[in-house]
Amino acid sequence: MRKSSGRISWLVLLSVVALVVGACGPASSSSAAGSAAAPAASESGAAPSGAAPSAEGSALTGTACGAGATEVKFWTSHTPPDSDVLKKIVDAFNTANPDICVKMTIVPGAETDVAKLITAIRGGAAPDVYMADRFTVPQRAAEGVLAELPAEVAALKDQHLEFAWNETQYQGKTYAIPFDTDARALWYNKDLITAAGEDPSQLDISKGAPTIELVNKIADKITKKDASGNYDVIGWLPGGPHEGGTPGAFDQGWHYTWGFAFGGKFADTAACKVTPTDPGVVAGYQFLYDWAKERDPQAITRWVSTNLPPNPPAPSHPFWTQKLGMTISGDWRIAEQVKYAPNGHYGFTFIPVPKAGDKSATWAGGWSMALIPNSKVATQAVKFMTYIAGPEGQKVYTKDSTHLPTLKALLQDASLFDPLHKTFLDLLPVALNRPPLAVGAVYWDALTSAQGSVELNTKTPADALKEVQDSVQPQLDAAGC
């Protein structure tokens, strides 16, 4: 959100935000609301949640730092269990660097919403380091919310996966350091499938990608309604709605998931064009439209509102409470199952394909560490960033959270991956990713709004996506690629 030609939403955001979020506060054991992958999120990535703290947030680390240490304020929207791992890494850094005191604060919010950050910058209460969903970095750089990183950081390029590094770039300059990545698959509850009279081995990953038809057949047998005709248990939700019944995806059934599954292309970066009306993208939305229409969009929304309200604690996710048979999700569910459903029987396989023989598509997201402009402790902040996003931090995060690293050397470290985790690692070489655009967050939000209207059957896919095209392309033209 920077420079006059690229300030796409700066003035809009400032006009609607009245809350200044403090960067640090007293130590607190309360966890934060929000999402790590969704919305967005969580997008990007995982979407664990906990109980909401005060709007100001609370510093969860750094309370035991020695007197005289230089304070570095670090904001994240991640919540337990992922934030627990972040705290572990921050504590290790503080111990190894007694002259620096990193204070981590959980600030609730979706990946594409930086209203609190902008307000904090304006009010002089901004953090020094900000954990940014990586696909949004080019836009944040264009808007002036992130600072260009020094040459020694730019020199780390060859150590990281190419797509992850590309997402940190804007006009040839580096604005963030990749921290993690992931891959997506179809998770399924073997017990619910067996109880429905189906054989879960039909979905064994060794058999290749299942068809959407097969998954629907199994899911419809799992689905149950109560005496009032409302859904009690749902076999699967390929798309949305999102938490609380808002537009978007349930878990990782995003527009990108199904656009990619149907062979769609979301942008032509060489031509600096978004392409939401690409036939494959339209086909993905058409699948979501038809699926919802056959099962009553309003009834689906009521079920989501009941079983996944805003900011739900991670253990209450309907996949762990036996209310959902299958879900598109990611590698982070491995760690969650161990913690929240250790006695369950779960498996995962490739994302379903439109017809037998089609190549399954997955995609990778991930987060990054960014520096806020005009930090008075930039040297210390960058030192922390290169630690948490370097081998020390990524190794711990990979092992404890079951996300994947972006450092090429760690991808070869077999000690970091158990057999289940290794399967997701094997998906990474063929994973697609969201195009790094100077309107990445704007595009995501427009696609999400379109997904909501399509799943409610209030707009056709063609009409909804044409609106996305007409809305986003002028903004990309203004910002530049």
Side-chain angles (χ1 to χ4, degrees):
M1 304 178 178
R2 147 184 8 165
K3 82 176 183 177
S4 58
S5 64
R7 289 182 181 173
I8 300 161
S9 52
W10 176 276
L11 295 176
V12 174
L13 286 171
L14 289 180
S15 67
V16 299
V17 177
L19 176 64
V20 176
V21 180
C24 287
S28 171
S29 61
S30 64
S31 56
S35 166
S42 160
E43 133 185 251
S44 121
S49 303
S54 67
E56 290 77 16
S58 298
L60 304 181
T61 58
T63 55
C65 291
T70 300
E71 181 179 306
V72 173
K73 297 184 286 289
F74 168 42
W75 277 14
T76 178
S77 62
H78 279 33
T79 55
D82 289 351
S83 61
D84 297 333
V85 187
L86 293 176
K87 181 181 182 301
K88 179 178 178 179
I89 299 169
V90 172
D91 286 341
F93 175 83
N94 286 342
T95 298
N97 298 272
D99 59 325
I100 302 174
C101 178
V102 176
K103 291 191 175 182
M104 183 182 90
T105 302
I106 294 176
V107 179
E111 297 95 317
T112 59
D113 180 8
V114 290
K116 294 176 182 177
L117 177 62
I118 291 174
T119 304
I121 291 172
R122 294 275 293 183
D128 303 293
V129 178
Y130 184 75
M131 193 169 179
D133 200 338
R134 206 165 48 245
F135 85 100
T136 69
V137 167
Q139 180 175 329
R140 301 311 173 208
E143 296 166 332
V145 174
L146 307 182
E148 181 187 354
L149 295 176
E152 60 265 30
V153 174
L156 302 174
K157 172 183 178 180
D158 292 340
Q159 298 180 21
H160 290 269
L161 291 169
E162 182 179 7
F163 84 86
W165 188 262
N166 288 343
E167 291 175 330
T168 69
Q169 305 296 296
Y170 177 64
Q171 295 186 342
K173 298 177 180 180
T174 301
Y175 287 88
I177 308 175
F179 175 61
D180 72 323
T181 189
D182 48 35
R184 284 149 184 78
L186 176 72
W187 281 81
Y188 56 93
N189 184 322
K190 296 179 182 180
D191 295 331
L192 288 182
I193 292 174
T194 299
E198 290 286 339
D199 183 356
S201 70
Q202 295 176 86
L203 299 177
D204 192 278
I205 196 168
S206 65
K207 297 181 178 179
T211 62
I212 290 173
E213 181 182 11
L214 173 62
V215 173
N216 274 334
K217 182 195 76 168
I218 297 172
D220 288 345
K221 290 188 177 181
I222 295 171
T223 298
K224 296 179 180 178
K225 292 185 176 181
D226 62 21
S228 300
N230 292 312
Y231 287 110
D232 178 34
V233 178
I234 284 186
W236 81 312
L237 253 72
H242 188 49
E243 293 176 3
T246 57
F250 181 96
D251 209 331
Q252 295 297 299
W254 290 103
H255 28 70
Y256 278 100
T257 300
W258 293 109
F260 286 146
F262 281 82
K265 182 179 180 181
F266 284 85
D268 182 344
T269 54
C272 203
K273 301 293 184 183
V274 292
T275 57
T277 57
D278 176 90
V281 177
V282 176
Y285 274 71
Q286 188 67 54
F287 160 61
L288 296 175
Y289 181 99
D290 294 341
W291 188 93
K293 184 177 182 179
E294 291 174 5
R295 292 161 181 82
D296 186 351
Q298 296 298 334
I300 295 293
T301 298
R302 287 195 298 272
W303 183 89
V304 173
S305 299
T306 299
N307 289 278
L308 198 73
N311 306 319
S316 69
H317 193 284
F319 193 56
W320 305 137
T321 61
Q322 309 298 302
K323 292 293 186 178
L324 179 67
M326 294 176 277
T327 185
I328 303 292
S329 200
D331 38 19
W332 56 88
R333 295 292 180 204
I334 299 172
E336 285 194 15
Q337 187 200 334
V338 172
K339 189 170 184 178
Y340 302 131
N343 298 319
H345 301 95
Y346 297 87
F348 57 85
T349 186
F350 300 102
I351 291 174
V353 294
K355 59 182 184 296
D358 285 349
K359 182 180 179 181
S360 180
T362 188
W363 60 279
W367 294 77
S368 63
M369 300 296 162
L371 181 68
I372 297 303
N374 303 316
S375 169
K376 296 178 181 179
V377 293
T379 299
Q380 293 86 351
V382 170
K383 184 174 183 178
F384 166 65
M385 291 165 61
T386 56
Y387 177 92
I388 192 170
E392 300 94 339
Q394 285 206 25
K395 186 176 292 186
V396 172
Y397 199 71
T398 298
K399 187 77 171 178
D400 290 7
S401 75
T402 61
H403 285 74
L404 299 172
T406 63
L407 288 166
K408 296 175 184 177
L410 296 187
L411 293 169
Q412 309 302 318
D413 186 347
S415 69
L416 300 178
F417 309 97
D418 62 29
L420 291 181
H421 203 181
K422 172 76 165 52
T423 303
F424 279 94
L425 177 64
D426 293 341
L427 292 174
L428 197 55
V430 297
L432 302 168
N433 63 286
R434 293 165 289 194
L437 300 168
V439 293
V442 168
Y443 193 25
W444 174 280
D445 288 343
L447 289 168
T448 298
S449 178
Q451 180 173 350
S453 60
V454 163
E455 289 176 328
L456 285 174
N457 293 168
T458 59
K459 292 180 182 177
T460 67
D463 288 345
L465 291 168
K466 180 61 166 57
E467 290 179 6
V468 174
Q469 176 80 41
D470 293 344
S471 170
V472 176
Q473 187 59 50
Q475 298 184 64
L476 181 57
D477 291 340
C481 287

